[in-house]
Amino acid sequence: QVTEVFLRTLSSQNRRVQVASCSAFGHVVDAAGDLMAPYLENVFQALAPALSAYHGRSLVLLLQLFGNIADCCGPAIAEEMLPVIYMPPILQLWNKLATENPEHRTLLPLMESVASIAMTSGMSFQPYALECFDNAMAIIEAVQLVLTTSGETIENEEDADPIVCAADLLDGLVEGTTNNFPSLLASSQRYGQHFFSV
């Protein structure tokens, strides 16, 4: 019943309610751990639409909530058709933000959450692994290009954040796909050759 109450508040248009709901539900997930597993379908069905409705801090907390659920509930997040509920809208948001600005700060919690999801899901993440790999590599490439063309260097940790988060995601893919990671590299038309030529 507590879960149902929080899930209903997620659809609120009020930014303060959105922030409070995500924060409070995060505490519920922390406390419940893998006991949340039977309710994950309802949880993800409530969270997924919010990815296209939330903005600013609300969206950041929502993305962190996805990662938190992955960390607390484990492989249960990848059972049956659950990834089909949440991964397509996450990838759609990623592509939208990256198109607007590859250094968009919201991409940082997004990549951190996807890293947790990939690591936890294991081979069940395979259908989304290539797109996430290409997207993470594109972030690193775009940031390096900006630095090269502007003649600037990374002088503080904040400037390096997009590269660090993208690298963490790549690490999550390596851990999640394990022995299949070389095949993932080979299937990347844009970046695979760079790795195999080293």
Side-chain angles (χ1 to χ4, degrees):
Q1 290 182 341
V2 173
T3 300
E4 292 177 0
V5 170
F6 279 121
L7 294 182
R8 282 198 296 269
T9 62
L10 287 169
S11 61
S12 172
Q13 300 298 310
N14 185 295
R15 294 285 179 86
R16 290 186 176 180
V17 174
Q18 294 171 356
V19 168
S21 297
C22 287
S23 180
F25 193 62
H27 291 301
V28 172
V29 172
D30 284 334
D34 57 7
L35 294 177
M36 286 291 298
Y39 310 100
L40 285 178
E41 183 174 357
N42 289 337
V43 168
F44 287 135
Q45 285 178 341
L47 295 180
L51 286 165
S52 59
Y54 283 21
H55 303 280
R57 185 164 179 243
S58 301
L59 182 55
V60 169
L61 289 174
L62 177 65
L63 290 167
Q64 291 173 342
L65 183 55
F66 275 99
N68 193 26
I69 292 172
D71 293 337
C72 293
C73 296
I77 67 163
E79 289 181 358
E80 299 180 358
M81 298 301 290
L82 287 181
V84 176
I85 300 174
Y86 59 85
M87 278 310 300
I90 287 177
L91 290 171
Q92 185 178 7
L93 175 63
W94 189 344
N95 292 326
K96 175 179 178 291
L97 294 175
T99 300
E100 293 174 0
N101 178 8
E103 295 183 278
H104 200 297
R105 300 303 294 180
T106 307
L107 287 170
L108 306 182
L110 188 152
M111 287 190 286
E112 289 173 348
S113 292
V114 174
S116 293
I117 292 169
M119 201 179 311
T120 301
S121 300
M123 290 306 299
S124 298
F125 195 75
Q126 195 74 18
Y128 312 101
L130 178 59
E131 185 172 356
C132 289
F133 172 79
D134 282 344
N135 283 358
M137 290 297 299
I139 294 293
I140 295 173
E141 185 178 54
V143 173
Q144 288 179 327
L145 180 62
V146 169
L147 292 172
T148 300
T149 55
S150 65
E152 297 178 359
T153 58
I154 295 178
E155 297 181 355
N156 55 63
E157 291 184 6
E158 187 173 302
D159 292 336
D161 282 348
I163 294 177
V164 172
C165 289
D168 285 344
L169 174 51
L170 295 177
D171 183 59
L173 289 172
V174 171
E175 290 197 36
T177 58
T178 59
N179 293 336
N180 274 13
F181 190 72
S183 299
L184 172 64
L185 287 180
S187 62
S188 175
Q189 296 182 355
R190 184 170 181 182
Y191 299 107
Q193 59 182 344
H194 299 298
F195 286 87
F196 288 106
S197 63
V198 174

